[in-house]
Amino acid sequence: MSIVDLGPAAWRLGELVARTSDGELGAPTPCPAYTVGDLIEHLGVMALAFAAAARKEGGRYAEPASAGDAARLTAGWRSAIPRDLGAVASAWADPAAWSGMTRIAGMDAPADIIGLSLADELVVHGWDLARATGRAYDCEPEVLDAAESFLGQFASPDAPAGPDVAFGPSRPLRHDACSLDRVIALAGRDPDWLAG
């Protein structure tokens, strides 16, 4: 498996986090389980967990994490989370991160699958945050391909649904949908979702 350069997608997501105002933290997102603040807190934990997985470290970030919660955002999150997103991309830039087995969310899995899962997290949650805050979002074709490759293996129209589900049932799409819309629909989002 060739490695995927996740740096631009991580940087873009970090910029979206840094630009989020306090007044936007309570806004809904396309992920029904999360407000903007909940999503941002989740991103911070996600970055640390995937970085630990890249380095095959184990420890507390290898175990399941609780759902995102804006109440746990710490002072300085606008700089800390973008920094940690940059660090996770750097960790996955090492070819060794993509080989062998690793552990995340209490599961052992092939490292290349976890790398593709990170691409999915960066793309889908980047789109979530951009849509929730009324900002534009786009992504590099290779990252979209990696996210679609991951979701294509695991997404299902029969997946659980509801307000507590972060990634719901995949949605049908037009045959001519763009790559980003395909990824978003596979993740259970409505590509036409708009804030407000």
Side-chain angles (χ1 to χ4, degrees), residues 20-28 35-40 70 73 77-78:
T20 301
S21 70
D22 287 348
E24 292 170 319
L25 294 178
T35 63
V36 167
D38 297 335
L39 175 60
I40 288 174
L73 284 171
W77 58 265
R78 284 186 185 85

Side-chain angles (χ1 to χ4, degrees), residues 70-94:
R72 290 194 299 262
L73 284 171
T74 57
W77 58 265
R78 284 186 185 85
S79 57
I81 293 174
R83 179 197 66 224
D84 292 340
L85 287 165
V88 74
S90 294
W92 284 92
D94 181 351

Side-chain angles (χ1 to χ4, degrees), residues 12-156:
R12 184 178 301 108
L13 182 51
E15 284 290 297
L16 287 167
V17 169
R19 293 173 57 195
T20 301
S21 70
D22 287 348
E24 292 170 319
L25 294 178
T29 73
C31 173
Y34 286 160
T35 63
V36 167
D38 297 335
L39 175 60
I40 288 174
E41 196 272 338
H42 166 71
L43 293 173
V45 174
M46 177 206 79
L48 296 171
F50 276 93
R55 296 187 293 263
K56 321 281 195 298
E57 286 180 350
R60 71 181 178 115
Y61 289 114
E63 299 310 315
S66 54
D69 184 348
R72 290 194 299 262
L73 284 171
T74 57
W77 58 265
R78 284 186 185 85
S79 57
I81 293 174
R83 179 197 66 224
D84 292 340
L85 287 165
V88 74
S90 294
W92 284 92
D94 181 351
W98 296 81
S99 65
M101 298 289 290
T102 192
R103 185 171 178 85
I104 193 167
M107 298 179 300
D108 296 309
D112 60 339
I113 297 297
I114 301 305
L116 295 177
S117 172
L118 175 57
D120 165 49
E121 293 273 348
L122 293 172
V123 171
V124 175
H125 287 323
W127 181 87
D128 285 339
L129 185 54
R131 280 297 169 102
T133 57
R135 296 180 174 93
Y137 186 80
D138 200 2
C139 196
E140 294 70 29
E142 71 169 328
V143 180
L144 290 172
D145 288 348
E148 188 170 355
S149 172
F150 174 78
L151 287 164
Q153 295 176 61
F154 300 103
S156 167

